[in-house]
Amino acid sequence: MAVTRRRLGDILIEQGLLTEQQLKDTLDDKATDQKLGDALLLRGFITEQQLIETLEVQLGIPHVSLFRYPFEARLFNIVPKEFAKRKLLVPLKVEGNKLYVGMADPMDVIAIDDLRLITGFKIEPAIASKDDILKTITKYYEEESFDDLLDGLEQDEEDQSDELLDMDAPVVRLVNQLLSNAVTQKASDVHLDPQENRIVVRYRIDGTLRNERVLPKSMQGMMIARIKIMANLDITEHRVPQDGRIKTQVDLRPIDLRVSTLPTVFGEKIVMRILDLGSNLTDIAKLGFGQLNMERFMREIDKPNGIVLISGPTGSGKSSTLYAALSKLNSEEVNVITVEDPVEYQLEGINQIQVNSNVGLTFAAGLRSILRQDPDIVMVGEIRDKETVEIAIRASLTGHLVLSTIHTNDSIASVTRLMDMGVEPFLVTASLNAVVAQRLIRRVCRDCREIHKPTMREQEIFRKRGLEIHEIARGSGCPQCNMSGYKGRMAIHEVLVITDEMKTVINSGGSAADIRRIAVQENTVFLIDDGLMKVQQGHTTTEEVLRVAIAD
């Protein structure tokens, strides 16, 4: 008698990992050929670890954690690298005539049959996470050849000028491998730090820098020259900073890299910002706005004119918020034009201008030209000087909605910064609709999340902000989050709406403290408050919030 397999959705609901409404919404929206598990992961309803454990129950196939798994290096010679990467599988161990294999999809019978023919073994599948498999492939297939690359580089050190363009040259493969590793580990930046006797490669993952590897000093010149060639920079210039861009594909995904070089006493330091063109930046609901902040932000960007500024330091997600707002506003009835440096993500239906100061196309010059193009909505990448802000104000006063970013610590500092640039207070109040301050904080890993009682210090912090806290979520550390307790990031926001009362204070020369007092009266949710609310909801920890926001 055939055994009826229980449905994945039913098991997830039974385990309390999913609601019936979430399952219904996912089934209604998912593509015909998309698996339910993949669709649930994409929407963030469950984690990959939760899916694996549920599939183990449903299919009766064991799951395996590849973190610190005692792999046998010889098995990686049996399974070809390209096959492992394409089918998302890794060899685990051999027992008799059986080859145990970790697979992202253990029901892929074609991959199992192909592997049986390639290896001659009977295949025993186990379920492993996609991330674990990719990290293992990177470590065991690509690291194995790393020493060979170093040897090749040192042997060819005499004359390597031609090799910088040869795709099979050791230096080219080495740089490609560093980028591939960075994308696999979901790094946002790659740092090449020259030191006196070595060069250190570091990745920024979830906002935190981690040492990836240390390379010999002798490789510095070749690596920097190769990256400069990829970014169309001047390889003969070592004394001044340079900026460039690389468009490439890593594991068949389009990746854009912003490259910055900086002369230091030990040579040029290079930082590459990774922009994943395959990621989805268009959903404003996924930015992490609280309910009140979301309502205020939507109301301000729906206005026909005025300026909405987004403030925060480099790497705080300002561009993502701007692009999400533009995607929300973009329709065939409006003409949207942007002037950016650089154009990070290309949005369909929006006219985007790249700043080029070498030919005189600055933010101010581009913005001045935009106003003759009959725009409805204008986005300026960054307000850096008095000329740019004056043209932006003029645009907002003549019936345009202007979106831009500014580098300040919080929303109130943005108002005073505009006046520091030399803008008259009455122009600021006439044009400015709202300022959104933003920071990124790490999320508690959902796979090793544990509930703890708050400390006395934490209770005191919450009490000072008029909030209560009874329990706090913390990650204990697991293979999924590299034992850090955090996985992924989310934004905290502060939406300062410029009200009539605030305009009166600004026009009369009021201080930042006066503006803050009115903001408190208007129930403004400050960065620290929004962060602590996300601690209450179990998304992050108090330490993370205090790392980026100051408690008064």
Side-chain angles (χ1 to χ4, degrees):
M1 190 177 102
V3 178
T4 307
R5 187 186 296 153
R6 293 168 67 200
R7 294 188 301 182
L8 178 66
D10 294 338
I11 300 173
L12 286 167
I13 290 171
E14 187 181 295
Q15 292 179 340
L17 300 173
L18 197 67
T19 65
E20 289 192 16
Q21 188 58 47
Q22 286 174 330
L23 177 62
K24 182 179 181 304
D25 292 345
T26 306
L27 289 170
D28 290 344
D29 294 343
K30 81 178 185 73
T32 315
D33 58 344
Q34 189 180 32
K35 293 179 179 173
L36 176 61
D38 292 338
L40 291 168
L41 285 176
L42 195 64
R43 284 160 181 76
F45 291 149
I46 57 172
T47 68
E48 194 170 9
Q49 188 63 27
Q50 289 167 345
L51 174 62
I52 286 170
E53 289 168 2
T54 309
L55 285 173
E56 182 178 29
V57 172
Q58 186 199 23
L59 305 175
I61 296 174
H63 85 273
V64 62
S65 170
L66 305 185
F67 187 75
R68 293 179 182 156
Y69 189 88
F71 288 102
E72 296 177 51
R74 66 182 179 86
L75 294 183
F76 292 93
N77 298 322
I78 298 174
V79 180
K81 172 186 165 184
E82 292 307 319
F83 182 80
K85 218 165 191 177
R86 192 172 71 251
K87 296 295 186 181
L88 289 174
L89 53 85
V90 287
L92 299 172
K93 61 181 180 179
V94 169
E95 285 183 0
N97 68 336
K98 292 180 182 177
L99 173 65
Y100 289 81
V101 180
M103 302 180 69
D105 181 7
M107 299 303 287
D108 187 347
V109 291
I110 295 172
I112 291 172
D113 281 347
D114 288 348
L115 194 58
R116 181 172 52 78
L117 292 171
I118 290 169
T119 62
F121 286 99
K122 184 183 176 186
I123 306 301
E124 289 287 337
I127 311 171
S129 79
K130 183 180 173 182
D131 278 355
D132 269 1
I133 289 171
L134 287 173
K135 284 176 186 172
T136 304
I137 289 171
T138 299
K139 184 174 180 183
Y140 285 92
Y141 280 105
E142 296 177 2
E143 295 276 335
E144 192 179 6
S145 61
F146 192 73
D147 291 336
D148 298 335
L149 289 179
L150 293 187
D151 292 341
L153 272 169
E154 286 168 4
Q155 287 166 12
D156 297 342
E157 208 174 337
E158 298 287 322
D159 180 22
Q160 293 176 319
S161 54
D162 294 336
E163 292 200 7
L164 293 170
L165 299 171
D166 179 3
M167 296 311 290
D168 289 324
V171 68
V172 173
R173 302 208 320 268
L174 174 62
V175 171
N176 290 345
Q177 191 183 108
L178 289 175
L179 294 179
S180 176
N181 289 2
V183 172
T184 301
Q185 295 185 45
K186 296 183 173 63
S188 60
D189 301 84
V190 179
H191 289 240
L192 268 65
D193 292 345
Q195 297 180 5
E196 189 172 5
N197 301 312
R198 58 185 188 167
I199 182 165
V200 179
V201 180
R202 297 192 291 170
Y203 293 162
R204 187 178 291 281
I205 301 170
D206 287 343
T208 306
L209 276 172
R210 300 178 192 168
N211 279 12
E212 172 64 11
R213 60 164 55 96
V214 176
L215 303 175
K217 186 73 173 176
S218 59
M219 296 174 54
Q220 182 176 318
M222 286 299 294
M223 286 186 64
I224 288 171
R226 172 59 191 163
I227 292 167
K228 282 184 170 182
I229 285 174
M230 292 172 75
N232 290 321
L233 300 177
D234 183 355
I235 64 169
T236 63
E237 181 56 78
H238 307 288
R239 298 161 300 171
V240 296
Q242 296 185 67
D243 291 304
R245 192 164 190 157
I246 300 171
K247 278 198 171 185
T248 185
Q249 280 204 337
V250 175
D251 298 334
L252 304 178
R253 284 164 63 191
I255 300 293
D256 218 343
L257 300 157
R258 278 165 51 186
V259 181
S260 171
T261 73
L262 186 72
T264 71
V265 290
F266 296 125
E268 286 177 284
K269 172 180 167 65
I270 289 187
V271 176
M272 294 181 279
R273 165 70 55 88
I274 299 173
L275 306 171
D276 187 349
L277 302 179
S279 64
N280 184 13
L281 288 170
T282 57
D283 192 350
I284 208 164
K286 292 181 180 175
L287 294 177
F289 276 100
Q291 187 179 350
L292 181 61
N293 279 342
M294 176 65 103
E295 288 170 7
R296 289 179 171 175
F297 183 61
M298 294 303 294
R299 190 167 64 241
E300 295 308 315
I301 65 171
D302 278 336
K303 288 183 178 176
N305 54 48
I307 298 176
V308 176
L309 292 178
I310 300 177
S311 80
T314 305
S316 59
K318 299 187 298 296
S319 297
S320 298
T321 303
L322 270 184
Y323 283 120
L326 284 179
S327 299
K328 177 76 173 64
L329 297 169
N330 187 25
S331 68
E332 62 180 37
E333 291 87 23
V334 295
N335 179 21
V336 183
I337 306 181
T338 76
V339 53
E340 306 170 61
D341 182 24
V343 175
E344 292 189 10
Y345 299 94
Q346 289 162 8
L347 300 177
E348 194 174 341
I350 290 177
N351 308 285
Q352 294 171 276
I353 300 169
Q354 169 72 55
V355 165
N356 186 352
S357 52
N358 294 332
V359 296
L361 181 54
T362 60
F363 276 119
L367 190 48
R368 198 178 288 112
S369 301
I370 282 175
L371 298 181
R372 294 193 283 272
Q373 289 280 322
D374 182 33
D376 298 291
I377 298 165
V378 175
M379 192 268 265
V380 185
E382 186 185 339
I383 286 180
R384 295 177 180 171
D385 50 44
K386 184 181 179 183
E387 189 181 9
T388 307
V389 73
E390 282 179 344
I391 301 167
I393 287 171
R394 200 177 310 142
S396 70
L397 294 176
T398 52
H400 306 94
L401 178 67
V402 180
L403 304 176
S404 189
T405 68
I406 190 167
H407 283 264
T408 54
N409 286 331
D410 57 35
S411 56
I412 294 168
S414 302
V415 178
T416 54
R417 173 87 178 103
L418 293 176
M419 291 185 281
D420 289 342
M421 285 181 176
V423 180
E424 293 292 339
F426 73 90
L427 285 175
V428 173
T429 55
S431 57
L432 193 60
N433 289 353
V435 184
V436 180
Q438 178 168 318
R439 296 289 188 282
L440 290 179
I441 54 174
R442 293 182 291 173
R443 285 177 180 271
V444 170
C445 174
R446 287 163 65 184
D447 291 316
C448 59
R449 184 174 179 271
E450 293 178 350
I451 301 300
H452 296 269
K453 290 189 76 67
T455 63
M456 296 294 288
R457 169 77 178 133
E458 283 174 320
Q459 290 177 12
E460 180 65 22
I461 290 166
F462 275 80
R463 195 160 45 245
K464 277 186 179 176
R465 306 302 301 183
L467 299 168
E468 285 188 4
I469 186 74
H470 302 294
E471 56 183 34
I472 285 194
R474 282 196 172 83
S476 58
C478 69
Q480 303 304 316
C481 62
N482 279 328
M483 311 309 288
S484 68
Y486 298 99
K487 188 174 184 185
R489 288 193 290 176
M490 68 189 307
I492 57 173
H493 301 92
E494 172 178 304
V495 181
L496 180 75
V497 178
I498 309 301
T499 60
D500 290 338
E501 193 177 348
M502 214 172 280
K503 288 177 182 179
T504 305
V505 168
I506 295 168
N507 284 334
S508 60
S511 65
D514 297 327
I515 299 172
R516 174 174 283 275
R517 192 176 62 254
I518 296 167
V520 170
Q521 291 170 10
E522 300 284 349
N523 294 324
T524 299
V525 179
F526 294 103
L527 280 172
I528 182 79
D529 301 319
D530 194 36
L532 293 178
M533 286 179 199
K534 288 181 166 72
V535 175
Q536 277 182 325
Q537 293 158 10
H539 296 313
T540 188
T541 62
T542 317
E543 297 86 8
E544 268 300 289
V545 175
L546 295 178
R547 185 174 63 84
V548 298
I550 300 168
D552 300 331

